[in-house]
Amino acid sequence: MKEYIKEPNGTDFIYHNGKLCCINEVTLDGNHFIHWYKDGKLHNLNGPAVEFELFNGHKEWWRNGKRHRINGPAIEFSTGEKFWYWHGKPCSRHEYQLICNNRIDLNKYMLIAFCVITWAMAIAIIKRLIFPMVLSLVMNLNF
């Protein structure tokens, strides 16, 4: 359920299921600010989470409370300055491009690591428990 609260100064607060999801503020001097939130953190997957028309179009992309953008700089100033961030960590444009071009599906690699660890544990169990038992059985057999 969405709830809209309009302050006397013209600021709109939009809540979704009791949680703040947007602040839309127009100041007395006509500047416009928009902030998008999810679970109390700056977040917007569909565009910048922070927009300031005060600075003639300053924009910031946030995801889960951290500056982050998967298709460009996370901060764009009206002056043309741009800053790249990956999950809250600043990086150069070159570093950003390397990250995006070589993005690793961490879930896939975590699954592989889990399988390797599971096999290593199984081998250790075989070596410590089963191998000595089999060896003792073989030694006790009369051929």
Side-chain angles (χ1 to χ4, degrees):
M1 179 175 117
K2 284 195 177 180
E3 178 184 2
Y4 298 89
I5 298 173
K6 188 161 191 83
E7 295 286 320
N9 66 0
T11 301
D12 295 321
F13 293 90
I14 303 170
Y15 293 85
H16 183 71
N17 293 331
K19 295 183 179 179
L20 179 66
C21 69
C22 183
I23 298 175
N24 186 359
E25 179 180 4
V26 178
T27 61
L28 295 175
D29 56 359
N31 295 311
H32 189 202
F33 303 90
I34 301 174
H35 298 86
W36 291 97
Y37 293 88
K38 179 182 177 189
D39 297 327
K41 298 176 183 175
L42 283 167
H43 178 90
N44 188 3
L45 292 178
N46 300 320
V50 178
E51 289 186 72
F52 301 109
E53 289 186 12
L54 165 72
F55 302 110
N56 193 17
H58 171 94
K59 296 177 183 179
E60 295 182 19
W61 280 257
W62 292 71
R63 187 173 187 176
N64 297 319
K66 297 177 181 177
R67 284 189 175 107
H68 176 77
R69 188 175 178 194
I70 58 171
N71 59 353
I75 301 175
E76 293 180 354
F77 289 104
S78 60
T79 60
E81 281 185 287
K82 297 177 182 181
F83 296 92
W84 287 261
Y85 285 79
W86 189 257
H87 295 288
K89 295 182 177 142
C91 53
S92 69
R93 181 178 184 170
H94 178 71
E95 291 168 329
Y96 175 83
Q97 288 171 336
L98 286 174
I99 291 168
C100 289
N101 291 339
N102 299 313
R103 225 179 333 177
I104 297 171
D105 183 0
L106 292 179
N107 291 331
K108 180 172 90 176
Y109 286 96
M110 287 176 72
L111 178 62
I112 291 169
F114 175 76
C115 291
V116 168
I117 290 168
T118 304
W119 275 103
M121 289 173 64
I123 291 169
I125 289 169
I126 290 169
K127 279 184 171 179
R128 290 185 183 201
L129 298 176
I130 298 171
F131 183 70
M133 287 175 22
V134 172
L135 186 61
S136 69
L137 286 173
V138 170
M139 298 294 278
N140 291 330
L141 290 177
N142 292 327
F143 290 102

